[in-house]
Amino acid sequence: AGQKTAKKRQNDAAENADNAETTESEQKQEGKRRRKYTKRAGRKLDTAARVFFSNRLSASEADTQRFVPQEEDCQRFDEVRKAVGEDVGDSQAGIDGSTPSTPSGVSAGVGYQVKKIRIGSYEIDSWYISPYPDEYSRHPLLYICEFCLKYMKSEFTYQRHCMKCTLKHPPGDEIYRDGNISVFEVDGRKNKVYCQNLCLIGKMFLDTKTLYYDVEPFLFYILCEYDARGYHFAGYYSKEKRSAQGYNLSCIMILPSKQREGYGKLLIEFSYLLSKKEGVPGSPEKPLSDFGLLSYRSYWRRSIYEILLAQGAERISIEDISARTGMTVDDIISTLQTDGMLQRPPYGLGGYRLVVDVEKTSEYLRKAREKNPRRIDPSKLMWTPFLIKRPAVALEGDGAANAGNAVADGPAHDGGMAGDDAEDEEGEA
């Protein structure tokens, strides 16, 4: 028995020695393979860089050798990967053992927040959390190309991208141009990545926005400022291609660096211009945010007042106002009721009447034009509707029918706006 035990120990020792020699040999072979691969990859990258960037970058700028991982980099990577696996290996499955509900690579709603973005020559603070991938949302500053909207983590990568980016305008059709202002129509199905990047930017400044990746059912209208360098992104709005409720706008956003310049109301007016071109009254998607409601109320009031003053003492119905503005009857009635201009006649007579205070209405329009002189010129629109729709003229309910038959009785001074602060409304959605 003793001889067998001693022989077994000798065999075990010999086997352990063989395993140690095999492990050492494998490590040496792995090191040789890595060094060989590193040199080969470096030569390939260096050759490709010189060929691809020969006309645009200098030799030092095109040198990519410093980005090739060396052997010590691979060792550090392996050490960190092992350390992370040992420390937080089980943290991904919650306390109760369940798997995380957030998709891989996407930040959760309460995760990291990008503090600032740099787009063009502006560095802008973010307002809300946007679901950028984790590797990007952990950085406090993201660099975004103002032409293709690609986001990057470092300034060096951003500068190299700007040298190579060939896109100088949104990837769509330019349907409107007036001076240095242009509007492009971009299809979410044809330019999916661009529209997804656009939605990620919009989420940084819109708390109620929930659409990030499902952009195919939407059209996006991009507002740009033109100069010698190209078309610079300023804001956008989106709308559904087929809206069962007749919405002509789903989401609208103006960059904070471009706010207080009247671009918000300009895009609202543009959306109604397209509704009139389609021959179907439109309305924004409900519910509206606080800033959105202020902007729309201001635009509705200005459009209705201009028509009422131009009409003079002649009678006009709410359906006529809807046909000339592209607004729905409900939005017109809501605005008139808010300003106290829609009144029921005395002595129990049916229907409603519009009571217009000419002096206050004229003063409101004068201040509005001084404050926001930018307007859309319909003659400069070059656009064909995406879908041919049938005009919907049916009204539901007796109240809507009676309100729709309301007519203006001409100048009067027993009605007017809701308050003196109405002309001071300002906001961008």
Side-chain angles (χ1 to χ4, degrees):
Q3 291 178 355
K4 290 182 179 180
T5 302
K7 188 175 181 179
K8 184 177 181 180
R9 289 179 179 176
Q10 291 177 359
N11 292 336
D12 292 341
E15 184 177 356
N16 292 335
D18 292 340
N19 292 337
E21 292 178 358
T22 302
T23 303
E24 184 178 359
S25 176
E26 290 179 351
Q27 290 178 353
K28 290 182 179 180
Q29 291 179 359
E30 179 67 17
K32 291 181 179 179
R33 187 186 65 80
R34 283 187 175 181
R35 287 193 294 270
K36 185 177 180 181
Y37 171 77
T38 300
K39 292 180 180 179
R40 185 184 303 170
R43 287 195 297 269
K44 288 183 178 180
L45 289 175
D46 187 50
T47 303
R50 288 197 180 96
V51 172
F52 188 79
F53 303 127
S54 59
N55 297 328
R56 312 193 68 162
L57 299 177
S58 62
S60 59
E61 291 175 335
D63 183 16
T64 57
Q65 283 287 349
R66 53 177 173 162
F67 300 108
V68 177
Q70 304 298 323
E71 183 176 1
E72 58 180 7
D73 298 325
C74 298
Q75 294 177 357
R76 291 176 60 188
F77 175 78
D78 293 337
E79 293 174 359
V80 172
R81 184 175 59 180
K82 292 179 181 178
V84 171
E86 294 174 358
D87 295 340
V88 296
D90 299 330
S91 63
Q92 296 298 328
I95 299 177
D96 56 352
S98 60
T99 57
S101 59
T102 304
S104 176
V106 179
S107 300
V110 294
Y112 296 93
Q113 177 181 357
V114 178
K115 302 298 182 182
K116 294 181 180 180
I117 61 172
R118 179 178 175 183
I119 179 168
S121 58
Y122 297 96
E123 193 170 295
I124 306 172
D125 294 332
S126 65
W127 299 355
Y128 305 103
I129 296 177
S130 184
Y132 282 97
D134 284 337
E135 58 178 314
Y136 293 90
S137 60
R138 293 173 183 269
H139 288 260
L141 176 63
L142 280 186
Y143 298 85
I144 300 178
C145 176
E146 60 182 334
F147 300 115
C148 68
L149 302 186
K150 180 181 179 180
Y151 47 89
M152 290 148 278
K153 295 180 289 187
S154 66
E155 185 178 4
F156 178 78
T157 307
Y158 171 73
Q159 292 176 351
R160 289 177 65 91
H161 171 82
C162 291
M163 293 179 183
K164 298 179 290 183
C165 185
T166 58
L167 195 64
K168 298 303 179 184
H169 59 79
D173 300 325
E174 185 179 14
I175 61 176
Y176 179 84
R177 181 188 295 180
D178 186 7
N180 68 329
I181 301 298
S182 293
V183 178
F184 290 79
E185 182 182 59
V186 181
D187 191 341
R189 182 181 64 84
K190 297 180 180 179
N191 303 278
K192 188 174 181 179
V193 175
Y194 178 89
C195 295
Q196 287 176 348
N197 293 340
L198 187 65
C199 291
L200 289 174
I201 296 176
K203 175 56 183 172
M204 303 182 79
F205 308 105
L206 295 172
D207 188 23
T208 57
K209 183 172 179 58
T210 57
L211 172 70
Y212 316 124
Y213 300 106
D214 186 19
V215 297
E216 296 183 4
F218 291 85
L219 292 171
F220 295 83
Y221 295 89
I222 318 299
L223 178 69
C224 299
E225 293 180 340
Y226 173 76
D227 62 11
R229 294 180 54 244
Y231 294 83
H232 305 274
F233 173 73
Y236 82 98
Y237 82 88
S238 61
K239 75 170 184 177
E240 292 182 87
K241 297 176 182 177
R242 294 177 174 88
S243 177
Q245 295 81 9
Y247 295 143
N248 65 353
L249 186 144
S250 298
C251 172
I252 180 172
M253 189 276 297
I254 304 297
L255 284 178
S257 58
K258 299 297 181 181
Q259 291 183 5
R260 307 296 180 182
E261 297 184 19
Y263 287 151
K265 293 186 179 65
L266 197 70
L267 283 180
I268 292 174
E269 184 178 3
F270 187 81
S271 68
Y272 280 106
L273 175 61
L274 299 189
S275 295
K276 289 189 289 184
K277 186 80 170 179
E278 291 174 334
V280 180
S283 180
E285 186 174 333
K286 309 296 191 305
L288 291 171
S289 63
D290 295 336
F291 284 138
L293 182 59
L294 284 175
S295 297
Y296 265 96
R297 278 275 169 82
S298 178
Y299 172 77
W300 290 339
R301 184 176 290 116
R302 179 174 179 176
S303 300
I304 295 173
Y305 285 5
E306 287 176 345
I307 291 178
L308 292 179
L309 289 183
Q311 192 70 14
E314 298 181 6
R315 299 169 66 87
I316 185 173
S317 66
I318 291 182
E319 284 86 354
D320 295 334
I321 298 176
S322 175
R324 294 168 63 175
T325 60
M327 298 164 50
T328 60
V329 171
D330 292 337
D331 292 338
I332 296 174
I333 293 174
S334 174
T335 304
L336 294 175
Q337 287 179 338
T338 301
D339 294 347
M341 300 175 65
L342 191 62
Q343 299 181 3
R344 185 182 293 273
Y347 309 114
L349 299 178
Y352 291 83
R353 67 175 182 176
L354 298 178
V355 183
V356 182
D357 189 329
V358 177
E359 183 179 352
K360 289 186 177 181
T361 303
S362 302
E363 181 65 15
Y364 176 85
L365 288 178
R366 183 187 65 80
K367 292 183 178 180
R369 288 164 182 161
E370 292 178 354
K371 187 177 184 180
N372 184 18
R374 294 182 182 271
R375 300 303 299 270
I376 292 291
D377 187 356
S379 63
K380 297 181 180 180
L381 176 68
M382 303 294 291
W383 180 74
T384 301
F386 183 80
L387 294 174
I388 304 298
K389 299 180 180 180
R390 295 180 180 178
V393 295
L395 295 176
E396 297 180 1
D398 296 337
N402 290 335
N405 294 327
V407 294
D409 290 337
H413 293 279
D414 55 346
M417 295 184 297
D420 294 333
D421 296 334
E423 67 274 7
D424 295 330
E425 293 174 352
E426 178 70 25
E428 300 289 351

